[in-house]
Amino acid sequence: MRFHRLRQVATARRAFFGALVLSVTAGLLAGGGTAAADTPREWTSAVKAADGVTYTATNHLTKAADGQGRKWLLAWAGPSKQPAPDFLAVIDAEPKSPTYGDVVNTVTMGPGTGNEPHHLQYMWHKGDRIYAGGILSDTTFVFDTRALPAVRLVGVNTPAETPCGTLPDAYQVLSDGTAYGTYMGGPDVSGPCTYTNGEVRVGNGAAGSPGEIVRIGKDGRTLAEIPAATEDGESAEQCGNVPQLPAASCSNPHGLAVREDLDIMVASDFAEARNFMTPDSPLREELARQTVRVFDIKDRNNPKLRSVSKVHDGPRGALEKRPFFRESRVVMEVATTNKPGHRGAFVSSMAGGAVFYTPDITARNPKWREVFDDTTSYRAFQKDDSVTGSGDNSSWLAVSPDDRYLFHTVMGQSVPFGAPLDATTGMLYVLDIRKLLAAGPKTRCSVDELNEAYTGGSERDCPELAGVVPIRDVTAGGPHWGTMDVFQRGHGGIYRETDRVSRIAVANYFVSGSFGGGGDHRVCMFTLNGKGRPALDRGFRDEHTGEPCVAFDRTSWPHGDHGDAQPHGVLFAVSDRVLR
């Protein structure tokens, strides 16, 4: 994807800034009756959005969707080739089900195409709605899941409702059912933009800088646009902008974490995407962000930027001839701890291949230390010392609800530095973080010597590698996004949410057309043993090939013969009637 051509590409796909010009007939809320065994039952929900367009979501329920409620894996996907509809796939995720791994429903979106489906929220709880972003169309869709495996569209947040931000990325749902979302790119048009609280920032346009935070209601409407940039600007030397802003900004929020009990929200800055994704763009190193933003959210509609802190290079970076791949570069993801006694947070760097930690995210000026290098994980299965975390495209990051483990996906190097792509492969790894968290503010762990990058931190409280699974993918892509399964099935087929993670699901895809983003389009499942060690779930098989993982490269879907698709956001959810 060439973000510098965002407007042209999106317009061609009839999807950017409300340029959806097709219309559909109202009253499509039809209930699907009994259909032939080989014919999906179809019914459509519709929402007329603020832009005047009627958006639709059409369910295509197969026979495998019948029966008692169960656990599902949702995958937000787009077609590999246009024109074809974007869709939310509903996959049977109950291991005891005879159709485990089957795609039982595809919910196709209309009227436009080319949203480039991106993320869903990190976690789903009973009663939550689903927030799904179209990064190219600058649109957020909201779904009701009470009738799973059927899904109903209940809201659409259009580009006109977020004039101060573009490129919706991550979502965190609050206890009241509303959500915060990171909008990584700059305002719709260059120049000054006024936020909900009356503050003004100057931006350089769509997919540029500065990005923002948006609070979205359960009906999809914007409750607040929230500035993420400082009023006076940041270091012009570090925060490159193209074109340069009067007040330089590194504000391009990507990852998002919320601790409502602490009234804290944390966002990690990625890059000025419009120029960053083009290899020969100017100032590329200065566009790779190293910053983390913390907000006070006591007033949920008017969060206040509390701090902007920076992560720093580690021992491997001192030998790195390419500054772009030093440990601190491109802080993609953030994850907070969960328990009341813990206030720590983690961030990971996409280009740098490292994990950083601060023991107190509520501090006025959080201090970050590198506590793990992806190189250590590679050493567990790849003995070639030339393969390191440098440029390994580390991605999804999550702390288990019980604060025992840190989960991390790595896509692998998209451009091999002297090694074949099957050596610089993607992976899922798990860190045991109990000792680190137990140390509280007195933590000593710091990866500051070169040997620690290869073998793990030497201090006693450093994270320990619980396990790693390579995910072989030679498409110059790999496992980007993931989700945790915390739902336990009990007597009578009733599920309850726990704080223990039993499985992880990941999607092997990043962004269409980006260098190193294609992936092999599989969705894979991994089990965890009692010590946090992951293993590929070979029972989670594609219904057509019989191979482990669900292949999104296929000819037919419940909605028709539309060919290969690209899954990005994934999320576990359970039928409402069997979840207590």
PDB file of all heavy atoms in Angstrom, residues 500-523:
ATOM      1  N   ARG A 500      -7.638 -16.763  32.741  1.00  0.00           N
ATOM      2  CA  ARG A 500      -6.610 -17.636  32.181  1.00  0.00           C
ATOM      3  C   ARG A 500      -6.776 -17.757  30.668  1.00  0.00           C
ATOM      4  O   ARG A 500      -7.883 -17.935  30.173  1.00  0.00           O
ATOM      5  CB  ARG A 500      -6.676 -19.034  32.819  1.00  0.00           C
ATOM      6  CG  ARG A 500      -6.295 -19.071  34.307  1.00  0.00           C
ATOM      7  CD  ARG A 500      -4.840 -18.757  34.511  1.00  0.00           C
ATOM      8  NE  ARG A 500      -4.442 -18.811  35.903  1.00  0.00           N
ATOM      9  CZ  ARG A 500      -3.883 -19.868  36.474  1.00  0.00           C
ATOM     10  NH1 ARG A 500      -3.669 -20.971  35.764  1.00  0.00           N
ATOM     11  NH2 ARG A 500      -3.546 -19.845  37.746  1.00  0.00           N
ATOM     12  N   VAL A 501      -5.690 -17.679  29.960  1.00  0.00           N
ATOM     13  CA  VAL A 501      -5.710 -17.800  28.509  1.00  0.00           C
ATOM     14  C   VAL A 501      -5.434 -19.251  28.134  1.00  0.00           C
ATOM     15  O   VAL A 501      -4.422 -19.827  28.532  1.00  0.00           O
ATOM     16  CB  VAL A 501      -4.661 -16.879  27.857  1.00  0.00           C
ATOM     17  CG1 VAL A 501      -4.662 -17.040  26.337  1.00  0.00           C
ATOM     18  CG2 VAL A 501      -4.914 -15.426  28.241  1.00  0.00           C
ATOM     19  N   SER A 502      -6.333 -19.839  27.354  1.00  0.00           N
ATOM     20  CA  SER A 502      -6.167 -21.235  26.954  1.00  0.00           C
ATOM     21  C   SER A 502      -5.625 -21.373  25.536  1.00  0.00           C
ATOM     22  O   SER A 502      -4.968 -22.368  25.205  1.00  0.00           O
ATOM     23  CB  SER A 502      -7.506 -21.977  27.044  1.00  0.00           C
ATOM     24  OG  SER A 502      -8.473 -21.370  26.198  1.00  0.00           O
ATOM     25  N   ARG A 503      -5.909 -20.382  24.688  1.00  0.00           N
ATOM     26  CA  ARG A 503      -5.478 -20.458  23.294  1.00  0.00           C
ATOM     27  C   ARG A 503      -5.201 -19.057  22.756  1.00  0.00           C
ATOM     28  O   ARG A 503      -5.692 -18.056  23.288  1.00  0.00           O
ATOM     29  CB  ARG A 503      -6.557 -21.117  22.419  1.00  0.00           C
ATOM     30  CG  ARG A 503      -6.847 -22.560  22.750  1.00  0.00           C
ATOM     31  CD  ARG A 503      -7.900 -23.140  21.806  1.00  0.00           C
ATOM     32  NE  ARG A 503      -9.151 -22.408  21.867  1.00  0.00           N
ATOM     33  CZ  ARG A 503     -10.190 -22.601  21.063  1.00  0.00           C
ATOM     34  NH1 ARG A 503     -10.092 -23.507  20.094  1.00  0.00           N
ATOM     35  NH2 ARG A 503     -11.304 -21.914  21.190  1.00  0.00           N
ATOM     36  N   ILE A 504      -4.422 -19.025  21.694  1.00  0.00           N
ATOM     37  CA  ILE A 504      -4.134 -17.801  20.953  1.00  0.00           C
ATOM     38  C   ILE A 504      -4.444 -18.065  19.482  1.00  0.00           C
ATOM     39  O   ILE A 504      -4.081 -19.118  18.943  1.00  0.00           O
ATOM     40  CB  ILE A 504      -2.642 -17.400  21.085  1.00  0.00           C
ATOM     41  CG1 ILE A 504      -2.278 -17.111  22.543  1.00  0.00           C
ATOM     42  CG2 ILE A 504      -2.322 -16.210  20.183  1.00  0.00           C
ATOM     43  CD1 ILE A 504      -2.886 -15.860  23.107  1.00  0.00           C
ATOM     44  N   ALA A 505      -5.124 -17.133  18.831  1.00  0.00           N
ATOM     45  CA  ALA A 505      -5.327 -17.208  17.389  1.00  0.00           C
ATOM     46  C   ALA A 505      -4.605 -16.038  16.740  1.00  0.00           C
ATOM     47  O   ALA A 505      -4.596 -14.922  17.279  1.00  0.00           O
ATOM     48  CB  ALA A 505      -6.816 -17.165  17.044  1.00  0.00           C
ATOM     49  N   VAL A 506      -3.994 -16.277  15.589  1.00  0.00           N
ATOM     50  CA  VAL A 506      -3.256 -15.226  14.884  1.00  0.00           C
ATOM     51  C   VAL A 506      -3.630 -15.230  13.408  1.00  0.00           C
ATOM     52  O   VAL A 506      -4.029 -16.255  12.847  1.00  0.00           O
ATOM     53  CB  VAL A 506      -1.724 -15.377  15.028  1.00  0.00           C
ATOM     54  CG1 VAL A 506      -1.319 -15.446  16.485  1.00  0.00           C
ATOM     55  CG2 VAL A 506      -1.218 -16.593  14.274  1.00  0.00           C
ATOM     56  N   ALA A 507      -3.504 -14.060  12.776  1.00  0.00           N
ATOM     57  CA  ALA A 507      -3.759 -13.916  11.341  1.00  0.00           C
ATOM     58  C   ALA A 507      -2.470 -13.519  10.637  1.00  0.00           C
ATOM     59  O   ALA A 507      -1.766 -12.616  11.073  1.00  0.00           O
ATOM     60  CB  ALA A 507      -4.833 -12.852  11.098  1.00  0.00           C
ATOM     61  N   ASN A 508      -2.174 -14.197   9.538  1.00  0.00           N
ATOM     62  CA  ASN A 508      -0.938 -13.956   8.786  1.00  0.00           C
ATOM     63  C   ASN A 508      -1.181 -12.963   7.649  1.00  0.00           C
ATOM     64  O   ASN A 508      -1.237 -13.335   6.472  1.00  0.00           O
ATOM     65  CB  ASN A 508      -0.410 -15.273   8.195  1.00  0.00           C
ATOM     66  CG  ASN A 508       0.155 -16.191   9.246  1.00  0.00           C
ATOM     67  OD1 ASN A 508      -0.096 -16.030  10.428  1.00  0.00           O
ATOM     68  ND2 ASN A 508       0.900 -17.182   8.819  1.00  0.00           N
ATOM     69  N   TYR A 509      -1.308 -11.698   8.015  1.00  0.00           N
ATOM     70  CA  TYR A 509      -1.523 -10.663   7.006  1.00  0.00           C
ATOM     71  C   TYR A 509      -1.354  -9.301   7.668  1.00  0.00           C
ATOM     72  O   TYR A 509      -1.745  -9.110   8.829  1.00  0.00           O
ATOM     73  CB  TYR A 509      -2.922 -10.775   6.394  1.00  0.00           C
ATOM     74  CG  TYR A 509      -3.269  -9.629   5.469  1.00  0.00           C
ATOM     75  CD1 TYR A 509      -2.617  -9.497   4.239  1.00  0.00           C
ATOM     76  CD2 TYR A 509      -4.212  -8.680   5.829  1.00  0.00           C
ATOM     77  CE1 TYR A 509      -2.915  -8.433   3.397  1.00  0.00           C
ATOM     78  CE2 TYR A 509      -4.508  -7.620   4.984  1.00  0.00           C
ATOM     79  CZ  TYR A 509      -3.865  -7.491   3.779  1.00  0.00           C
ATOM     80  OH  TYR A 509      -4.136  -6.441   2.950  1.00  0.00           O
ATOM     81  N   PHE A 510      -0.772  -8.344   6.910  1.00  0.00           N
ATOM     82  CA  PHE A 510      -0.550  -7.003   7.453  1.00  0.00           C
ATOM     83  C   PHE A 510      -1.398  -5.988   6.692  1.00  0.00           C
ATOM     84  O   PHE A 510      -2.516  -5.686   7.070  1.00  0.00           O
ATOM     85  CB  PHE A 510       0.938  -6.671   7.385  1.00  0.00           C
ATOM     86  CG  PHE A 510       1.309  -5.306   7.896  1.00  0.00           C
ATOM     87  CD1 PHE A 510       0.649  -4.729   8.982  1.00  0.00           C
ATOM     88  CD2 PHE A 510       2.342  -4.591   7.306  1.00  0.00           C
ATOM     89  CE1 PHE A 510       0.997  -3.472   9.449  1.00  0.00           C
ATOM     90  CE2 PHE A 510       2.699  -3.339   7.772  1.00  0.00           C
ATOM     91  CZ  PHE A 510       2.033  -2.775   8.838  1.00  0.00           C
ATOM     92  N   VAL A 511      -0.891  -5.466   5.581  1.00  0.00           N
ATOM     93  CA  VAL A 511      -1.623  -4.465   4.808  1.00  0.00           C
ATOM     94  C   VAL A 511      -1.395  -4.717   3.328  1.00  0.00           C
ATOM     95  O   VAL A 511      -0.273  -4.989   2.900  1.00  0.00           O
ATOM     96  CB  VAL A 511      -1.176  -3.027   5.165  1.00  0.00           C
ATOM     97  CG1 VAL A 511      -1.969  -2.018   4.352  1.00  0.00           C
ATOM     98  CG2 VAL A 511      -1.351  -2.746   6.648  1.00  0.00           C
ATOM     99  N   SER A 512      -2.451  -4.594   2.546  1.00  0.00           N
ATOM    100  CA  SER A 512      -2.385  -4.874   1.119  1.00  0.00           C
ATOM    101  C   SER A 512      -1.372  -3.974   0.415  1.00  0.00           C
ATOM    102  O   SER A 512      -1.378  -2.760   0.590  1.00  0.00           O
ATOM    103  CB  SER A 512      -3.761  -4.662   0.487  1.00  0.00           C
ATOM    104  OG  SER A 512      -3.709  -4.861  -0.899  1.00  0.00           O
ATOM    105  N   GLY A 513      -0.507  -4.588  -0.381  1.00  0.00           N
ATOM    106  CA  GLY A 513       0.409  -3.838  -1.223  1.00  0.00           C
ATOM    107  C   GLY A 513       1.625  -3.300  -0.522  1.00  0.00           C
ATOM    108  O   GLY A 513       2.513  -2.741  -1.151  1.00  0.00           O
ATOM    109  N   SER A 514       1.706  -3.421   0.824  1.00  0.00           N
ATOM    110  CA  SER A 514       2.867  -2.894   1.535  1.00  0.00           C
ATOM    111  C   SER A 514       4.039  -3.854   1.361  1.00  0.00           C
ATOM    112  O   SER A 514       3.852  -5.048   1.188  1.00  0.00           O
ATOM    113  CB  SER A 514       2.563  -2.734   3.022  1.00  0.00           C
ATOM    114  OG  SER A 514       2.358  -3.992   3.631  1.00  0.00           O
ATOM    115  N   PHE A 515       5.242  -3.303   1.422  1.00  0.00           N
ATOM    116  CA  PHE A 515       6.402  -4.174   1.357  1.00  0.00           C
ATOM    117  C   PHE A 515       6.404  -5.024   2.629  1.00  0.00           C
ATOM    118  O   PHE A 515       6.306  -4.540   3.733  1.00  0.00           O
ATOM    119  CB  PHE A 515       7.689  -3.359   1.239  1.00  0.00           C
ATOM    120  CG  PHE A 515       7.928  -2.373   2.343  1.00  0.00           C
ATOM    121  CD1 PHE A 515       8.727  -2.693   3.430  1.00  0.00           C
ATOM    122  CD2 PHE A 515       7.337  -1.118   2.298  1.00  0.00           C
ATOM    123  CE1 PHE A 515       8.939  -1.788   4.444  1.00  0.00           C
ATOM    124  CE2 PHE A 515       7.546  -0.203   3.320  1.00  0.00           C
ATOM    125  CZ  PHE A 515       8.342  -0.529   4.397  1.00  0.00           C
ATOM    126  N   GLY A 516       6.457  -6.349   2.438  1.00  0.00           N
ATOM    127  CA  GLY A 516       6.481  -7.246   3.581  1.00  0.00           C
ATOM    128  C   GLY A 516       5.160  -7.382   4.279  1.00  0.00           C
ATOM    129  O   GLY A 516       5.120  -7.796   5.426  1.00  0.00           O
ATOM    130  N   GLY A 517       4.034  -7.079   3.626  1.00  0.00           N
ATOM    131  CA  GLY A 517       2.773  -7.124   4.328  1.00  0.00           C
ATOM    132  C   GLY A 517       1.812  -8.196   3.887  1.00  0.00           C
ATOM    133  O   GLY A 517       0.786  -8.409   4.500  1.00  0.00           O
ATOM    134  N   GLY A 518       2.117  -8.881   2.764  1.00  0.00           N
ATOM    135  CA  GLY A 518       1.133  -9.779   2.190  1.00  0.00           C
ATOM    136  C   GLY A 518       0.750 -10.945   3.077  1.00  0.00           C
ATOM    137  O   GLY A 518      -0.412 -11.147   3.386  1.00  0.00           O
ATOM    138  N   GLY A 519       1.732 -11.697   3.503  1.00  0.00           N
ATOM    139  CA  GLY A 519       1.423 -12.874   4.304  1.00  0.00           C
ATOM    140  C   GLY A 519       0.785 -13.970   3.468  1.00  0.00           C
ATOM    141  O   GLY A 519       0.464 -13.785   2.295  1.00  0.00           O
ATOM    142  N   ASP A 520       0.575 -15.148   4.083  1.00  0.00           N
ATOM    143  CA  ASP A 520      -0.021 -16.269   3.357  1.00  0.00           C
ATOM    144  C   ASP A 520      -1.515 -16.415   3.637  1.00  0.00           C
ATOM    145  O   ASP A 520      -2.127 -17.400   3.248  1.00  0.00           O
ATOM    146  CB  ASP A 520       0.726 -17.575   3.656  1.00  0.00           C
ATOM    147  CG  ASP A 520       0.679 -17.969   5.133  1.00  0.00           C
ATOM    148  OD1 ASP A 520      -0.139 -17.394   5.887  1.00  0.00           O
ATOM    149  OD2 ASP A 520       1.456 -18.858   5.531  1.00  0.00           O
ATOM    150  N   HIS A 521      -2.084 -15.452   4.363  1.00  0.00           N
ATOM    151  CA  HIS A 521      -3.536 -15.342   4.551  1.00  0.00           C
ATOM    152  C   HIS A 521      -4.137 -16.511   5.332  1.00  0.00           C
ATOM    153  O   HIS A 521      -5.315 -16.837   5.142  1.00  0.00           O
ATOM    154  CB  HIS A 521      -4.250 -15.204   3.211  1.00  0.00           C
ATOM    155  CG  HIS A 521      -3.742 -14.075   2.371  1.00  0.00           C
ATOM    156  ND1 HIS A 521      -3.943 -13.994   1.017  1.00  0.00           N
ATOM    157  CD2 HIS A 521      -3.018 -12.970   2.696  1.00  0.00           C
ATOM    158  CE1 HIS A 521      -3.391 -12.899   0.534  1.00  0.00           C
ATOM    159  NE2 HIS A 521      -2.801 -12.258   1.544  1.00  0.00           N
ATOM    160  N   ARG A 522      -3.368 -17.103   6.222  1.00  0.00           N
ATOM    161  CA  ARG A 522      -3.917 -18.151   7.095  1.00  0.00           C
ATOM    162  C   ARG A 522      -4.309 -17.557   8.445  1.00  0.00           C
ATOM    163  O   ARG A 522      -3.720 -16.584   8.912  1.00  0.00           O
ATOM    164  CB  ARG A 522      -2.901 -19.252   7.335  1.00  0.00           C
ATOM    165  CG  ARG A 522      -2.596 -20.131   6.137  1.00  0.00           C
ATOM    166  CD  ARG A 522      -1.595 -21.216   6.524  1.00  0.00           C
ATOM    167  NE  ARG A 522      -0.321 -20.634   6.973  1.00  0.00           N
ATOM    168  CZ  ARG A 522       0.576 -21.268   7.741  1.00  0.00           C
ATOM    169  NH1 ARG A 522       0.337 -22.501   8.155  1.00  0.00           N
ATOM    170  NH2 ARG A 522       1.710 -20.685   8.076  1.00  0.00           N
ATOM    171  N   VAL A 523      -5.297 -18.185   9.089  1.00  0.00           N
ATOM    172  CA  VAL A 523      -5.617 -17.918  10.482  1.00  0.00           C
ATOM    173  C   VAL A 523      -5.311 -19.198  11.253  1.00  0.00           C
ATOM    174  O   VAL A 523      -5.873 -20.257  10.962  1.00  0.00           O
ATOM    175  CB  VAL A 523      -7.094 -17.517  10.671  1.00  0.00           C
ATOM    176  CG1 VAL A 523      -7.444 -17.430  12.149  1.00  0.00           C
ATOM    177  CG2 VAL A 523      -7.366 -16.178   9.986  1.00  0.00           C
TER     178      VAL A 523
END
